[in-house]
Amino acid sequence: MWQRLTMSVLAAVVFGAAVSLAIPLKASTTANRYSASSQSNHFGPLTLRSDGTFQISVLEDLHFGENAWDQWGPQQDINSVKVINKIFDKESPGLVVLNGDLITGENGFLENSTVYIDQIVGPLVSRNLTWASTYGNHDYDFNISGDAILERERNWRNSRTSPMISGSDAGVSNYYLPVYDHGCVNEHTCSPQLILWFFDSRGGFRYQQGTPESRVGQPNWVDRSVVDWFNSASRSLTKRYRKTIPSLGFVHIPPYASYALQDAGVDPNKEPGVNDDVPLAPQAQGWCPDGSNNGTCTYGGQDTEFMQAISHTEGFMALFSGHDHGDTWCYKWDRLLPGMDVTPANNVSLCFGQHTGYGGYGNWERGSRQVMVSKSGLAKFEADTWIRLESGNSVGRVSLNSTYGQDRYPRTNDSMTYCPTCEY
């Protein structure tokens, strides 16, 4: 397999040049990529619309660059770009979140493993949309890393991905973005209405460690150093602004609490969405409590501190994940669950997105989760969310409010889409 990749590298470089659909607006270095610099960038600070609302579109599990040496691999990427365009023909977000597994890294080549970023963001750049990323387990492999993706991503002024913590075990995409009231032009003089937190759940394999045939596994949970940073930064924001600021979080691999909630039973009318990946794959899956990864354990519990942090941070409303392509529901975590020792204090909603890309496993209809907040809703720590499908239909619209989990909604149809021009 890896001999085949080496022989195909020249063709991949040529193909990589072809998939750059837009010209970078501004080159940047990565020398200061871990500095906690201004979060506003070329587009200015994130702000509510004039009507007091703010919308986020989440693109999940794009998996670009899969089998570039076969006809169907590049065709999948072309279809994924079509999905992105169809979504933004219907939705007009203030921020796009690329929530992990942007690239199928195990199929990537060292010389051009991140070139697919240009193809992914082409539709966003053409529509003048700004985005922020988390990185997933398939974004880390022998020939690709979060650092390399960040370097490519930061060639575009539309990107707001700007890591705030460094360290060999922290991962890369850990940071926060404030959202201010409409009319804010200088974030240093405004008070945030909303904080968006981004976490790197890592996973996959360590960059250039071991050999292509014997790669070194990387832990698949939010590291303790990141949890400490989050706790400290959250407290600092509360102290600085003298108020509890509503917040939302994004991470690629879901926490174990999502697994426990699914095991307790997903009600298709109370938690509408597809529930086909059963059981789902949580953080720390396959690792042992002592940190070993030898195939003898099913779950190591290393994400307990992360779950404790998000479920005990006042104002933290919801966490959005991907990773499990066949799960698209939201579930309110409001109780101690079997097999766990974390009791939530703030009833955080745990949500999945929708598999957006034609790369990766599964043929559930492609789409994108939308999240809408309003100034009046944030005062009650509420958000609305729905999924926009490739077909143009909207499904699974719910209100993540005090009665979510009791209210009843229409079931979500388990629709499928296929790549008619791909020959698998």
Side-chain angles (χ1 to χ4, degrees), residues 6 33 70 93 119 130 176 219 246 376 396 400:
T6 303
R33 63 181 177 269
D70 287 322
Q119 191 177 14
T130 182
Y176 68 83
S376 59
L400 303 178

mmCIF file of all heavy atoms in Angstrom, residues 6 33 70 93 119 130 176 219 246 376 396 400:
data_model
loop_
_atom_site.group_PDB
_atom_site.id
_atom_site.type_symbol
_atom_site.label_atom_id
_atom_site.label_comp_id
_atom_site.label_asym_id
_atom_site.label_seq_id
_atom_site.Cartn_x
_atom_site.Cartn_y
_atom_site.Cartn_z
ATOM 1 N N THR A 6 4.022 5.945 -2.614
ATOM 2 C CA THR A 6 5.267 6.568 -3.018
ATOM 3 C C THR A 6 5.358 6.677 -4.528
ATOM 4 O O THR A 6 5.772 7.703 -5.080
ATOM 5 C CB THR A 6 6.456 5.741 -2.483
ATOM 6 O OG1 THR A 6 6.342 5.640 -1.068
ATOM 7 C CG2 THR A 6 7.775 6.398 -2.841
ATOM 8 N N ARG A 33 2.102 31.087 15.565
ATOM 9 C CA ARG A 33 0.784 30.475 15.463
ATOM 10 C C ARG A 33 0.193 30.125 16.816
ATOM 11 O O ARG A 33 -1.002 29.869 16.921
ATOM 12 C CB ARG A 33 0.834 29.237 14.586
ATOM 13 C CG ARG A 33 1.718 28.098 15.110
ATOM 14 C CD ARG A 33 1.693 26.939 14.114
ATOM 15 N NE ARG A 33 2.564 25.853 14.514
ATOM 16 C CZ ARG A 33 3.834 25.748 14.145
ATOM 17 N NH1 ARG A 33 4.384 26.702 13.427
ATOM 18 N NH2 ARG A 33 4.562 24.719 14.535
ATOM 19 N N ASP A 70 -7.147 6.912 -7.609
ATOM 20 C CA ASP A 70 -8.277 6.265 -8.290
ATOM 21 C C ASP A 70 -9.252 7.317 -8.802
ATOM 22 O O ASP A 70 -9.337 8.426 -8.280
ATOM 23 C CB ASP A 70 -9.024 5.324 -7.330
ATOM 24 C CG ASP A 70 -8.234 4.061 -7.033
ATOM 25 O OD1 ASP A 70 -7.578 3.553 -7.961
ATOM 26 O OD2 ASP A 70 -8.275 3.599 -5.873
ATOM 27 N N PRO A 93 -24.422 31.928 7.060
ATOM 28 C CA PRO A 93 -23.887 31.982 8.426
ATOM 29 C C PRO A 93 -22.916 33.129 8.635
ATOM 30 O O PRO A 93 -22.286 33.634 7.692
ATOM 31 C CB PRO A 93 -23.167 30.636 8.550
ATOM 32 C CG PRO A 93 -22.693 30.353 7.155
ATOM 33 C CD PRO A 93 -23.795 30.863 6.261
ATOM 34 N N GLN A 119 -9.143 23.400 -1.821
ATOM 35 C CA GLN A 119 -10.381 22.950 -2.455
ATOM 36 C C GLN A 119 -11.554 23.049 -1.485
ATOM 37 O O GLN A 119 -12.661 23.429 -1.873
ATOM 38 C CB GLN A 119 -10.217 21.509 -2.951
ATOM 39 C CG GLN A 119 -11.343 21.042 -3.864
ATOM 40 C CD GLN A 119 -11.113 19.636 -4.386
ATOM 41 O OE1 GLN A 119 -10.254 18.907 -3.877
ATOM 42 N NE2 GLN A 119 -11.877 19.247 -5.389
ATOM 43 N N THR A 130 -16.211 33.553 6.546
ATOM 44 C CA THR A 130 -15.090 33.318 7.445
ATOM 45 C C THR A 130 -15.311 32.010 8.199
ATOM 46 O O THR A 130 -16.451 31.604 8.428
ATOM 47 C CB THR A 130 -14.923 34.499 8.423
ATOM 48 O OG1 THR A 130 -13.791 34.272 9.262
ATOM 49 C CG2 THR A 130 -16.159 34.709 9.280
ATOM 50 N N TYR A 176 -10.481 30.031 21.518
ATOM 51 C CA TYR A 176 -11.854 30.510 21.611
ATOM 52 C C TYR A 176 -12.031 31.746 20.750
ATOM 53 O O TYR A 176 -11.071 32.467 20.439
ATOM 54 C CB TYR A 176 -12.263 30.790 23.059
ATOM 55 C CG TYR A 176 -11.572 31.953 23.728
ATOM 56 C CD1 TYR A 176 -12.023 33.264 23.547
ATOM 57 C CD2 TYR A 176 -10.487 31.743 24.567
ATOM 58 C CE1 TYR A 176 -11.388 34.338 24.167
ATOM 59 C CE2 TYR A 176 -9.843 32.803 25.197
ATOM 60 C CZ TYR A 176 -10.310 34.095 24.991
ATOM 61 O OH TYR A 176 -9.678 35.154 25.604
ATOM 62 N N PRO A 219 -2.986 9.750 21.239
ATOM 63 C CA PRO A 219 -4.181 9.724 22.094
ATOM 64 C C PRO A 219 -5.363 10.449 21.453
ATOM 65 O O PRO A 219 -5.190 11.476 20.798
ATOM 66 C CB PRO A 219 -3.702 10.441 23.362
ATOM 67 C CG PRO A 219 -2.237 10.164 23.414
ATOM 68 C CD PRO A 219 -1.787 10.182 21.988
ATOM 69 N N PRO A 246 -22.645 33.209 27.834
ATOM 70 C CA PRO A 246 -23.086 31.961 27.194
ATOM 71 C C PRO A 246 -22.012 31.448 26.232
ATOM 72 O O PRO A 246 -21.305 32.252 25.588
ATOM 73 C CB PRO A 246 -24.350 32.383 26.433
ATOM 74 C CG PRO A 246 -24.825 33.614 27.125
ATOM 75 C CD PRO A 246 -23.588 34.316 27.598
ATOM 76 N N SER A 376 -31.900 37.581 22.696
ATOM 77 C CA SER A 376 -32.899 37.246 23.706
ATOM 78 C C SER A 376 -32.751 35.802 24.165
ATOM 79 O O SER A 376 -32.923 35.491 25.348
ATOM 80 C CB SER A 376 -34.301 37.490 23.157
ATOM 81 O OG SER A 376 -34.533 36.710 21.993
ATOM 82 N N GLY A 396 -34.787 18.036 11.475
ATOM 83 C CA GLY A 396 -34.272 17.983 12.839
ATOM 84 C C GLY A 396 -34.207 19.311 13.554
ATOM 85 O O GLY A 396 -33.375 19.492 14.444
ATOM 86 N N LEU A 400 -32.748 24.060 21.781
ATOM 87 C CA LEU A 400 -31.987 23.577 22.938
ATOM 88 C C LEU A 400 -32.256 24.524 24.097
ATOM 89 O O LEU A 400 -31.495 25.435 24.402
ATOM 90 C CB LEU A 400 -30.490 23.522 22.594
ATOM 91 C CG LEU A 400 -30.116 22.657 21.386
ATOM 92 C CD1 LEU A 400 -28.621 22.732 21.123
ATOM 93 C CD2 LEU A 400 -30.570 21.215 21.573
#
